[in-house]
Amino acid sequence: MSITVNGLDALKKLAGNDLGTSEWIEVTQDRIDTFADATGDHQWIHVDPERAAAGPFGAPIAHGYLTLSLFIPLFTELLDVQGVATKVNYGLDKVRFPAPVKVGSRIRLTGKLAEVTEVPGGVQIAVDGTIEIEDGPKPAAVLRSLSRFYA
């Protein structure tokens, strides 16, 4: 369930709050293959199911950057900022990939609005996110995402 705020002042008031948890999404071989085609990264561990089954993880795994790119659609389930003119990704801090995401796994995001900082014309938010793997002992990704919202 998404938290909706209207405007920068309302966003500032959320600093320090948990944003909740997204729905689960499945990481399919088709999604992995599409990402491989888009990025040109066709390493066998991602796109060759037969060879990957005999590899170190027993199945194809998602690219780490595919997992990271899914932060945005998962994040939009957590926070909807309305009443602003522009929303932009500003960057990432401290990204780690503790566990691989095997094909067919489901992942979700938990997030916390760690900081809200004023910048010229708007605010920058820092979101501490964990992308979890269903029934996995470790998360797929742990990160701090930076976004800017302008009035």
Side-chain angles (χ1 to χ4, degrees), residues 42-61:
H42 292 94
Q43 185 182 24
W44 64 268
I45 203 155
H46 306 301
V47 299
D48 185 340
E50 187 174 304
R51 187 172 175 195
F57 303 109
I61 60 170

Side-chain angles (χ1 to χ4, degrees), residues 62-131:
H63 306 72
Y65 286 115
L66 168 57
T67 302
L68 184 59
S69 74
L70 293 171
F71 173 84
I72 292 299
L74 294 169
F75 178 70
T76 60
E77 292 184 30
L78 303 185
L79 181 63
D80 180 19
V81 180
Q82 300 178 354
V84 296
T86 306
K87 307 171 187 181
V88 295
N89 294 325
Y90 189 70
L92 297 162
D93 286 340
K94 302 178 185 176
V95 178
R96 300 290 183 267
F97 301 109
V101 178
K102 293 181 183 181
V103 69
S105 296
R106 294 190 332 151
I107 61 172
R108 70 179 180 183
L109 173 68
T110 61
K112 178 180 180 177
L113 185 55
E115 297 175 3
V116 180
T117 309
E118 293 204 26
V119 296
V123 298
Q124 177 173 295
I125 66 170
V127 174
D128 290 335
T130 301
I131 298 177

Side-chain angles (χ1 to χ4, degrees), residues 99 133-139:
I133 304 169
E134 188 174 38
D135 299 323
K138 294 182 183 179

